[in-house]
Amino acid sequence: MERVIGVIGGSGVYEIDGLKDAAWQQVHTPWGTPSDALLCGELDGVKMVFLPRHGRGHVHTPSTVPYRANIDALKRLGVTDVVSVSACGSFREEMAPGDFVIVDQFIDRTVARDNSFFGSGCVAHVSLAHPVCATLSALCLQAAQNEGVTVHMGGTYLAMEGPQFSCIAESRMYRDSWGCDVIGMTNMPEARLIREAEMCYASVAMVTDYDSWHPEHGAVQISDILKTLGGNSANARGLVARLPALLGAQHAPCTQGCDQALEHAVMTAPEKRDPELLAKLDAVAGRVLGGV
């Protein structure tokens, strides 16, 4: 099948040199309005879709990002592979500001977000044992290395609700007791929803600070984060620009089964399924629900 790369990121990440036929497209979803219009184009013969996670101008907090609408919109545009690019704090000395981390595990501490497309009337349980696509993640690693970025393969991402940063006690607990490597506010429920929508997912976390655990760096300051983000965004654009050549224009079946995540996940008997909910699931779950 044809590959379409979706990129979820912040300001500047969708400004990719060489993107052909670039056009902003409004997408309507049964889950509401996405964070923004989506920028659609083609790079090196591969279709790409860019979604500003917080909206242009940063209008959404991490808690108010319309995650379900965003993922549904990507699915409706035919996206097969999603690369999430986001800022994070680091709990590890060796994961320094300016470095990238290819995340492979999550601990979800969010509490105020809709984290599933399914619910009463159509219940489904997908596996999140391996929440990212190993193949896509490995290619993101290669792209980062080719771009000359200091990048770390593997790491546990603590997803916090925010919008405030951690206090010192929380930061030390996440680092020392829980064994987390980085912390951010946006990769959950993003990863959960992308798995339900049967798309491959990779998370590229860009380190901006040491959170508040580090005795020599003090409290997180937004001014310091913004300084680091400038260089990170340039590197992220370079990473993203290298992906089409590495991935190719055709999407083979995922060896990890990301594109078949719903195969045996829907539990509700067909005669008990809620027609209204089924109608909303037409894009993300139509493959297993009979093309509703």
Side-chain angles (χ1 to χ4, degrees), residues 1-287:
M1 65 184 295
E2 183 181 37
R3 185 186 305 278
V4 181
I5 302 172
V7 179
I8 305 175
S11 59
V13 178
Y14 46 80
E15 299 168 358
I16 306 297
D17 292 338
L19 189 67
K20 295 181 179 179
D21 301 321
W24 289 95
Q25 183 173 337
Q26 295 284 349
V27 180
H28 300 284
T29 89
W31 308 96
T33 303
S35 295
D36 205 329
L38 291 86
L39 181 64
C40 304
E42 186 175 300
L43 187 65
D44 293 336
V46 181
K47 291 183 178 179
M48 302 190 75
V49 178
F50 295 84
L51 173 63
R53 181 187 285 108
H54 296 278
R56 285 169 288 180
H58 207 108
V59 297
H60 290 288
T61 72
S63 298
T64 64
V65 169
Y67 293 97
R68 292 191 296 185
N70 286 350
I71 304 312
D72 181 281
L74 291 173
K75 185 74 173 182
R76 288 181 189 278
L77 291 176
V79 168
T80 55
D81 304 81
V82 181
V83 176
S84 165
V85 182
S86 61
C88 71
S90 169
F91 294 127
R92 304 296 162 203
E93 190 91 41
E94 65 273 18
M95 295 178 176
D99 292 2
F100 285 9
V101 180
I102 310 299
V103 173
D104 63 354
Q105 286 292 322
F106 300 95
I107 294 178
D108 190 356
R109 289 275 290 167
T110 64
V111 296
R113 309 174 189 187
D114 294 318
N115 64 8
S116 178
F117 289 109
F118 297 89
S120 179
C122 191
V123 177
H125 303 283
V126 299
S127 172
L128 274 178
H130 302 285
V132 303
C133 177
T135 300
L136 183 58
S137 295
L139 291 173
C140 286
L141 173 70
Q142 184 178 343
Q145 291 171 333
N146 292 347
E147 187 63 20
V149 177
T150 299
V151 57
H152 308 267
M153 186 61 180
T156 297
Y157 177 115
L158 189 288
M160 64 183 298
E161 187 64 51
Q164 303 86 359
F165 296 116
S166 305
C167 67
I168 292 174
E170 290 173 318
S171 189
R172 289 174 176 169
M173 178 181 71
Y174 298 150
R175 177 181 186 270
D176 299 331
S177 299
W178 292 15
C180 298
D181 299 296
V182 295
I183 183 169
M185 302 181 188
T186 58
N187 276 198
M188 283 292 180
E190 195 171 88
R192 298 182 185 278
L193 296 168
I194 290 171
R195 178 57 52 83
E196 288 186 346
E198 297 191 320
M199 295 183 284
C200 294
Y201 177 67
S203 172
V204 180
M206 307 181 298
V207 178
T208 60
D209 58 87
Y210 279 119
D211 204 51
S212 57
W213 66 271
H214 200 297
E216 298 177 10
H217 288 267
V220 179
Q221 299 292 334
I222 194 67
S223 58
D224 295 335
I225 289 176
L226 291 175
K227 290 178 184 177
T228 307
L229 270 176
N232 280 357
S233 293
N235 287 333
R237 289 195 298 271
L239 182 158
V240 169
R242 293 177 182 274
L243 288 175
L246 292 172
L247 287 166
Q250 294 299 309
H251 179 84
C254 177
T255 56
Q256 187 175 312
C258 299
D259 53 358
Q260 302 288 314
L262 292 175
E263 190 64 29
H264 304 290
V266 179
M267 305 299 293
T268 306
E271 68 275 11
K272 296 291 185 179
R273 296 172 184 172
D274 177 9
E276 184 175 343
L277 179 54
L278 292 182
K280 296 174 70 173
L281 291 166
D282 64 330
V284 300
R287 186 186 71 82

